[in-house]
Amino acid sequence: MNDDLPDGILMVADALTILNRERVFEFAAVRKLPAIYEFDDFARDGGLMSYGADSSESFERAAALVARIFNGANPGDLPFEQPTRYPLVLNLKTAKATGLEIPPTLLALADEVIE
């Protein structure tokens, strides 16, 4: 292996990484690199694991704020809201395919396990 390779991957989501996520999954799998992604959909799509704000909760809260604005609320008067749920999703199928072992303690902490 090349010494210039990373020991692992932490991939935050933006338009470019979302578009190229399959390439990142393949890169990590071929090199047996542990990789963690920002959104739970990445783990469901084949990434090893994800840990980040719950997308559903974030979209629901955004929709509620938009509804308040449409009903006459001043956007400047609305509170700043932060996510409250950060699910850890582990993809055991990907772990097994790449030969990576998930420690039992990490597995026990997972909110969702994909088998």
Side-chain angles (χ1 to χ4, degrees):
M1 286 257 176
N2 188 337
D3 289 338
D4 293 337
L5 288 176
D7 293 326
I9 298 171
L10 165 63
M11 190 173 98
V12 293
D14 63 15
L16 184 62
T17 57
I18 291 170
L19 180 65
N20 290 292
R21 68 184 175 274
E22 294 291 332
R23 295 176 75 187
V24 176
F25 298 161
E26 183 180 329
F27 179 88
V30 167
R31 290 159 183 84
K32 298 184 186 297
L33 293 172
I36 188 164
Y37 305 90
E38 183 177 6
F39 295 135
D40 50 6
D41 285 343
F42 283 49
R44 291 188 195 101
D45 289 346
L48 179 63
M49 68 180 96
S50 66
Y51 184 72
D54 185 300
S55 299
S56 296
E57 178 192 31
S58 296
F59 289 134
E60 288 169 10
R61 295 308 314 140
L65 291 172
V66 169
R68 287 176 65 182
I69 292 168
F70 283 163
N71 287 324
N74 179 349
D77 294 337
L78 296 177
F80 179 82
E81 297 186 16
Q82 294 183 351
T84 60
R85 293 189 307 254
Y86 293 83
L88 172 63
V89 180
L90 299 174
N91 189 325
L92 289 184
K93 183 179 175 183
T94 299
K96 289 175 187 172
T98 57
L100 295 170
E101 188 174 327
I102 303 293
T105 52
L106 185 60
L107 193 58
L109 292 171
D111 297 290
E112 181 181 344
V113 176
I114 300 162
E115 297 190 52

